[in-house]
Amino acid sequence: GVPEGTPMSYEFFLSIVHPDDRRYVETQWAAGLRGEPYDIEHRIVVDGQVKWVREKAYLEFDAQGRLLGGFGITQDTTARKEAQAALDRMRVMLAEGQRVAHVGSWEYLADTQTTVWSDEQKRIYGLDPTEPSPTMQSTGLSGFATFAASAKGSPVPRHPR
């Protein structure tokens, strides 16, 4: 890491920012110095490891717009970013598996009375996968919504196979 007692100049800070993110960080910091909110996520490189951080700064200016001071936070968001990337990969794999097998899936969310259809479910029903999921009413399954709401907290009856 950064040795304790190292002065954190802007130039030193930028040297830690991932090279691909430096322009973005510089642009956002310049906007912050003009009074715009500074709340960004970017990568840093520490001891050869890439980490994601969220930074938020609160800057104070005088009446002439000169910077008086400020304070900020830095949060390591690496674990969240890695978990999101893994989840995104799993979603892609599930969608590809459904596409290849021609198996769709859907979910009914009783609390909002909405449905979520997979892209393949939409394709099977001749719908555009980029469009929102159909409503229970439009699919003729509104009776299911009534059943699901009444069965909430009860065991769901199963049909014999």
Side-chain angles (χ1 to χ4, degrees):
V2 177
E4 193 171 324
T6 301
M8 187 56 85
S9 67
Y10 182 66
E11 291 74 24
F12 182 76
F13 163 72
L14 279 180
S15 75
I16 297 170
V17 172
H18 190 283
D20 293 343
D21 295 347
R22 284 188 189 136
R23 182 177 303 221
Y24 169 69
V25 171
E26 287 182 290
T27 300
Q28 294 303 303
W29 183 248
L33 292 175
R34 291 190 306 273
E36 295 178 30
Y38 183 81
D39 186 356
I40 66 171
E41 271 193 290
H42 66 88
R43 294 165 293 175
I44 59 174
V45 182
V46 179
D47 294 332
Q49 277 195 306
V50 176
K51 295 182 179 185
W52 279 93
V53 294
R54 176 183 181 204
E55 294 177 340
K56 191 167 190 167
Y58 301 91
L59 304 176
E60 184 179 357
F61 302 91
D62 66 14
Q64 289 75 40
R66 290 186 299 254
L67 180 65
L68 296 173
F71 68 95
I73 57 122
T74 301
Q75 177 185 16
D76 185 343
T77 58
T78 305
R80 180 180 57 78
K81 285 285 196 177
E82 289 171 350
Q84 184 63 52
L87 181 60
D88 292 345
R89 285 191 304 275
M90 290 295 118
R91 284 186 179 134
V92 167
M93 290 173 60
L94 175 61
E96 181 63 9
Q98 286 189 350
R99 187 189 66 74
V100 169
H102 302 292
V103 173
S105 60
W106 60 272
E107 178 180 15
Y108 173 67
L109 307 171
D111 56 338
T112 60
Q113 297 185 5
T114 58
T115 62
V116 178
W117 285 32
S118 69
D119 288 353
E120 190 60 23
Q121 180 80 2
K122 292 175 188 175
R123 283 187 202 97
I124 290 168
Y125 279 85
L127 303 173
D128 182 347
T130 63
E131 292 295 318
S133 294
T135 64
M136 293 301 277
Q137 291 73 24
S138 70
T139 60
L141 295 173
S142 56
F144 176 80
T146 304
F147 164 76
S150 67
K152 200 173 190 180
S154 316
V156 175
R158 305 235 182 243
H159 293 285
R161 292 178 193 221

